[in-house]
Amino acid sequence: MKTITTADDRVAVEQTPCMIPDLTIKDLLSAIPAHCYQRSAVWSSAYVVWDFFLLAVIYKTATFLDAFITPEQISLPNAHLYSIGHFAVWALYSFFSGLVMSGIWILAHECGHQAFSESKVLNNTVGWFLHSALGVPYHSWRISHAKHHASTGHMTQDQVYVPKTRSELKMPAFDSNNETLEGSTVSQKVMKELWEAVGDSPIVNAIGCVQYLLLGWPFYLIANAAGQTRYPVGTNHFKPTSIIFAPHQYWQIIWSDIGVIVWALSIAGAIHRFGFADVFRLYLAPYLWVNHWIILITFLQHTDPLLPHYRAPEFTFPRGALSTMDRSLLGDLGSFMGWIGACTTHGLSETHVLHHVCSKIPHYHAWEATYALRRRLDQAGVKLQGRPGGWSEMYRVFRDCRFVEDEGDIVFYKNGHGLAAARPVFADHSASDSGVEIDTNKEA
């Protein structure tokens, strides 16, 4: 984010123009080849089998290497290196197993969108088993997630990653004499007040990221953390009478709870029989990685200083769908790791904008559909390809997206100094800004 200090001791930021689209859903869907909408139970099931095969290969590789790291097989200069070697093998096992298990999580997510097959019964059966095996209340989350898709980016209707407002964070009230509502200029006095109020520092941000990645997913399910702020305290995904659900969905929530209870009892039984160390090494450590990846992927898809959020007067479904971002998961570690990230998680991070335009398109058609959709969006001056998704990007976004204003129908995140990296522009209103692309790789 480039800033300058003005003559009256204010700090001004060079904001990136963000094209607010006026496309219709027909404009978007018609750009996608017809065959991309086809769903195949055989193909989808093959990916389930493939993922479990990969888990078996990773496990066999880890056990082989673990058995190989012994004085009889390999000579190391220090006895402690054997312990380090064993730890490294199982750490890598948990990392890669966590990625593949995230792919299984994503296939269950496709079941919830009815993208797995043409059969609703098959979709919900497979989805319940796969998500229950990962501690996810299938129907409960399916229902809230559908609401998220219907109102993505809506300040009062979206279900998750809803920005906190200035007043909700109890920050100093907006001062029109010393700052602008759009966050283009702020006096140094107000910058200091906001910085102190938000408690911003590298250490605080780093700790916040770790907490978010490790605890964000279970706390969202249990306590509506980062969820819709207008929901009452105590809102969660396990109570059939929660505000999230309609009365006719009661028994679907109960059935989802049963799946999670069976999952928890299975883990307890495994610990009783095999011991905590083995269960943690083989399942719980990869499971923590799954929670981590799901939060990292989805947080970065929906959070960035250059993504708008809408209040009711300006919200439309296409605008909400296009307030998301495609990112190359692990692409910051190089093209090979980017390929690993995309393949193991079935392109969820890389094709997410398309997924919000039409969630029934299966992942094996999502790549072709994404490229077709991007060509249509390019014509409208909209580019939604962000920086690669990884830990450094998680830190940057977490640091730069602190709050939004209580006023305004189109709002962008402000950082801890009260500066916003983007401003809205409309193709119909400004010839000079017509066709402006959101350069999501620009320093913000």
Side-chain angles (χ1 to χ4, degrees):
M1 183 184 293
K2 296 180 180 178
T3 60
I4 60 170
T5 303
T6 62
D8 57 353
D9 204 32
R10 293 186 178 218
V11 173
V13 62
E14 180 185 337
Q15 293 181 313
T16 300
C18 170
M19 182 63 66
I20 304 301
D22 283 326
L23 297 166
T24 66
I25 190 62
K26 182 179 180 181
D27 291 332
L28 301 175
L29 296 180
S30 63
I32 300 168
H35 66 269
C36 291
Y37 295 101
Q38 296 175 3
R39 298 164 288 170
S40 167
V42 173
W43 271 109
S44 296
S45 299
Y47 279 97
V48 175
V49 173
W50 172 252
D51 281 350
F52 279 101
F53 171 75
L54 283 181
L55 285 177
V57 170
I58 293 169
Y59 170 75
K60 285 294 185 180
T61 302
T63 54
F64 171 79
L65 293 175
D66 189 61
F68 184 76
I69 303 174
T70 63
E72 293 77 17
Q73 299 290 340
I74 184 173
S75 178
L76 296 175
N78 190 298
H80 293 296
L81 294 177
Y82 292 102
S83 297
I84 294 172
H86 291 303
F87 177 82
V89 165
W90 290 107
L92 288 171
Y93 162 84
S94 69
F95 176 85
F96 287 106
S97 292
L99 275 172
V100 176
M101 287 166 63
S102 297
I104 294 173
W105 192 106
I106 290 161
L107 293 177
H109 153 261
E110 287 206 344
C111 291
H113 282 295
Q114 307 304 312
F116 189 84
S117 75
E118 301 283 346
S119 168
K120 186 174 182 179
V121 172
L122 178 61
N123 294 338
N124 288 337
T125 300
V126 173
W128 184 87
F129 275 103
L130 294 181
H131 258 171
S132 295
L134 293 168
V136 180
Y138 171 72
H139 288 293
S140 309
W141 185 74
R142 174 184 65 80
I143 292 165
S144 69
H145 190 60
K147 290 186 174 183
H148 158 66
H149 269 258
S151 302
T152 306
H154 194 300
M155 286 293 296
T156 58
Q157 298 298 325
D158 201 353
Q159 301 295 299
V160 68
Y161 300 125
V162 181
K164 298 285 188 182
T165 64
R166 182 190 288 253
S167 62
E168 287 171 340
L169 293 174
K170 303 187 185 310
M171 299 178 70
F174 176 73
D175 182 358
S176 59
N177 295 320
N178 289 290
E179 55 181 321
T180 57
L181 197 62
E182 68 273 14
S184 58
T185 61
V186 185
S187 72
Q188 299 207 32
K189 172 179 173 292
V190 169
M191 288 179 67
K192 182 179 179 182
E193 291 174 350
L194 293 174
W195 185 265
E196 291 174 350
V198 82
D200 211 349
S201 73
I203 294 177
V204 169
N205 288 330
I207 293 173
C209 283
V210 172
Q211 291 176 333
Y212 214 70
L213 290 171
L214 293 181
L215 302 175
W217 172 243
F219 272 79
Y220 169 64
L221 295 176
I222 295 169
N224 193 41
Q228 179 50 246
T229 56
R230 67 181 175 85
Y231 285 171
V233 176
T235 296
N236 65 72
H237 280 71
F238 299 96
K239 187 177 180 181
T241 57
S242 171
I243 191 174
I244 301 172
F245 313 119
H248 71 274
Q249 296 166 334
Y250 185 95
W251 288 106
Q252 295 181 62
I253 311 310
I254 293 294
W255 189 239
S256 301
D257 292 348
I258 290 172
V260 174
I261 291 170
V262 170
W263 167 76
L265 291 176
S266 299
I267 292 175
I271 291 173
H272 178 74
R273 179 173 180 180
F274 302 107
F276 178 79
D278 280 349
V279 174
F280 181 83
R281 175 170 54 93
L282 295 177
Y283 177 81
L284 292 178
Y287 167 75
L288 291 176
W289 275 112
V290 173
N291 290 350
H292 156 278
W293 290 123
I294 296 305
I295 290 296
L296 186 145
I297 291 169
T298 56
F299 175 80
L300 291 178
Q301 287 166 343
H302 296 284
T303 314
D304 193 272
L306 304 181
L307 287 178
H309 287 79
Y310 300 94
R311 292 191 168 94
E314 289 290 348
F315 178 83
T316 64
F317 176 82
R319 284 183 176 179
L322 300 180
S323 65
T324 59
M325 190 171 280
D326 293 339
R327 298 179 185 269
S328 171
L329 180 64
L330 296 179
D332 57 338
L333 299 179
S335 58
F336 177 72
M337 288 305 295
W339 177 77
I340 292 289
C343 290
T344 53
T345 59
H346 305 299
L348 179 68
S349 183
E350 293 78 5
T351 64
H352 196 68
V353 175
L354 176 278
H355 176 64
H356 268 269
V357 169
C358 183
S359 59
K360 281 191 175 182
I361 293 178
H363 69 90
Y364 43 84
H365 290 318
W367 295 93
E368 180 182 358
T370 287
Y371 297 138
L373 178 64
R374 284 177 185 173
R375 287 191 292 271
R376 179 64 184 89
L377 294 179
D378 285 344
Q379 295 172 6
V382 178
K383 181 181 178 182
L384 295 169
Q385 295 164 258
R387 300 179 185 182
W391 299 297
S392 61
E393 181 66 354
M394 178 77 188
Y395 175 84
R396 181 191 73 86
V397 173
F398 191 88
R399 178 197 65 200
D400 291 346
C401 296
R402 307 304 292 181
F403 69 98
V404 299
E405 293 294 349
D406 295 274
E407 302 177 49
D409 293 332
I410 300 176
V411 292
F412 290 88
Y413 267 111
K414 291 184 175 181
N415 64 15
H417 285 132
L419 294 168
R423 61 182 175 86
V425 295
F426 299 84
D428 293 338
H429 297 170
S430 173
S432 62
D433 281 325
S434 180
V436 173
E437 293 184 347
I438 306 175
D439 183 1
T440 51
N441 292 298
K442 184 176 179 179
E443 188 68 33

